[in-house]
Amino acid sequence: MPRPANMQAVLFDFDGVCADTEPLGLQLDSEVYAYYGIEPTDEERHALVGTTGEETIPWLFRRHGMEVTAREFWSHRRPNDLIYREMPLQLIPGIPDLLRGLRARGVRTALVSTTDSACINFALNRLGLQAMFDIRICGDMVAHHKPDAEPYLAGVAALGADPSRCVAVEDSPTGIAAAKAAGLYTLGYAGYSIHQDTSAADETVATFVGLEL
């Protein structure tokens, strides 16, 4: 699938694409693993990244001989709000310039994230990115999360854009699957500190620094 020649919009994931949040989430996860007395492998830890954990959390604990539901896991975990409100957030290098360049050319921008809107809005304010996105589609605004196509379809509809003329920027297999299911050209970001499989993307980049779309 070729990159759209006349792009109408670029839709960005937040965690792992705009901000370096996922190591902070893994830090909170580790506290729960310690509570249960297990030490997951990096592969197991990273399997939770970009998901709600409904399937991956029971899978992980079964591999360690335990039956733990996602609800039980989250009941012992400090809330995700801490990541966006208190923990040290860092922008992914090159993202501000990429966003400014797109907007200067009249290309619309959207944020499409599984994270809830209160956390996203707080993080955008902290990072100075509030004015960089025309619309936001967050986890509490849709009935189905990634890898379902709904979040991206909602974003494209809110922008009044044609999916075939849009690009999605994602760092995880879950997000890439959602964007492709919605008919978007998908750019995989492989330069994040937590490497994930981006091979299903239409194109992969290792850095946003100097990137032009």
Side-chain angles (χ1 to χ4, degrees), residues 75-97:
S75 72
H76 293 292
R77 188 181 184 273
R78 289 194 292 162
N80 263 353
D81 294 32
L82 293 175
I83 297 172
Y84 306 92
R85 295 174 180 272
E86 298 180 15
M87 297 177 84
L89 282 180
Q90 293 185 344
L91 284 167
I92 298 293
I95 273 290
D97 287 341

Side-chain angles (χ1 to χ4, degrees), residues 27-103:
Q27 180 180 326
L28 297 181
D29 292 346
S30 294
E31 296 172 0
V32 185
Y33 302 141
Y35 170 83
Y36 282 103
I38 66 171
E39 293 186 11
T41 64
D42 286 344
E43 176 192 0
E44 291 167 343
R45 294 172 189 270
H46 295 170
L48 271 66
V49 174
T51 75
T52 61
E54 288 300 320
E55 294 180 0
T56 48
I57 287 169
W59 164 83
L60 185 154
F61 279 91
R62 279 196 297 270
R63 295 186 67 166
H64 292 265
M66 304 178 73
E67 292 293 331
V68 176
T69 66
R71 177 176 292 184
E72 290 169 331
F73 178 88
W74 295 117
S75 72
H76 293 292
R77 188 181 184 273
R78 289 194 292 162
N80 263 353
D81 294 32
L82 293 175
I83 297 172
Y84 306 92
R85 295 174 180 272
E86 298 180 15
M87 297 177 84
L89 282 180
Q90 293 185 344
L91 284 167
I92 298 293
I95 273 290
D97 287 341
L98 177 57
L99 287 165
R100 280 191 287 266
L102 290 169
R103 296 177 68 78

Side-chain angles (χ1 to χ4, degrees), residues 89-177:
L89 282 180
Q90 293 185 344
L91 284 167
I92 298 293
I95 273 290
D97 287 341
L98 177 57
L99 287 165
R100 280 191 287 266
L102 290 169
R103 296 177 68 78
R105 288 163 40 211
V107 178
R108 303 195 74 192
T109 54
L111 194 68
V112 180
S113 174
T114 301
T115 302
D116 70 74
S117 53
C119 289
I120 288 294
N121 289 333
F122 205 97
L124 292 178
N125 278 325
R126 288 182 66 190
L127 296 170
L129 294 181
Q130 274 285 11
M132 292 291 191
F133 297 100
D134 294 297
I135 61 105
R136 299 173 205 104
I137 302 296
C138 301
D140 54 336
M141 300 167 65
V142 293
H144 303 96
H145 294 157
K146 304 172 187 178
D148 194 274
E150 182 183 350
Y152 276 105
L153 290 174
V156 169
L159 291 168
D162 179 346
S164 69
R165 295 178 60 190
C166 295
V167 171
V169 185
E170 281 282 356
D171 70 313
S172 72
T174 302
I176 290 168

